[in-house]
Every structure is written in structure tokens, then in C-alpha cells.
Amino acid sequence: MFNKRKQPPIKSLIAHGSQIDGNVLFSDGLRIDGAMVGDIRADDDRPSILVVSETASITGAIYADHIIVNGHVHGPVHAHVMLELQPKARIEGDVHYRALEM
């Protein structure tokens, strides 16, 4: 409805059972099924999408154009275009968005 342009492809995955400690910079799309401790930031030069699945756990700040959350985030979420909260989403932190879908 709000975002008519085509979404970028998801090219990267942090799988269930994996944990990454440190900051991550990505371009295009990223799906997280595992655990992250650190900030996640999309490349500002290209459209981006971040998917946080129901098995994911993130401790840190998130910055991307389109963010879909169905897992646990402990930290601020900055969606430059749209933030989608799915049924199992849990965010403990400030949220910033242009459009919100629940």
C-alpha cells in the first residue's frame, strides 16, 4: 500500500543456531533466524529489507528501509520506509518509522 516499489532480494541469511557478536553492514536483503549481539545497518545507497524471523533474537540497534519483525529485538528500531510487526514480534526499545503495519 505505502511502498509500491519492488523489494530488494534477500541475499544473506544468519541461520537458526548461529550467533554473531559484532556490528553487521548489509546491502539488499538480510534474513535473521539466529542470534545477533550488535548493531545491524543497511547500506544507505540502495533499497534494503531486513527480516527478523520468530526464532531470531537481536540485541542492538537496527537501521534499514523496510523491516519485518516476528522475533525479539532488544534495542532501537529505525525503519526509514516501513516497519511490519507480525504476531510474535516483541520489541524492547524505541521504534522510528514512516509507515507501520501490524
Side-chain angles (χ1 to χ4, degrees):
M1 181 164 102
F2 294 101
N3 191 10
K4 296 293 183 187
R5 65 183 176 189
K6 185 179 177 193
Q7 291 295 329
I10 294 177
K11 294 182 177 180
S12 302
L13 168 68
I14 298 172
H16 181 67
S18 301
Q19 178 171 331
I20 295 181
D21 295 322
N23 298 332
V24 171
L25 176 65
F26 73 96
S27 60
D28 294 326
L30 170 64
R31 178 183 172 98
I32 300 174
D33 292 339
M36 282 281 315
V37 178
D39 295 347
I40 303 168
R41 185 178 296 270
D43 184 4
D44 291 334
D45 295 336
R46 303 171 71 164
S48 60
I49 185 168
L50 174 67
V51 178
V52 180
S53 77
E54 67 179 273
T55 61
S57 173
I58 299 172
T59 301
I62 298 175
Y63 301 87
D65 291 336
H66 187 169
I67 301 172
I68 301 170
V69 178
N70 199 23
H72 181 249
V73 177
H74 186 83
V77 175
H78 300 267
H80 305 303
V81 177
M82 179 180 280
L83 174 62
E84 287 185 42
L85 300 178
Q86 294 185 342
K88 295 186 180 182
R90 193 169 86 208
I91 299 175
E92 297 177 42
D94 297 333
V95 292
H96 306 269
Y97 53 85
R98 185 173 298 158
L100 176 67
E101 182 178 308
M102 291 193 276

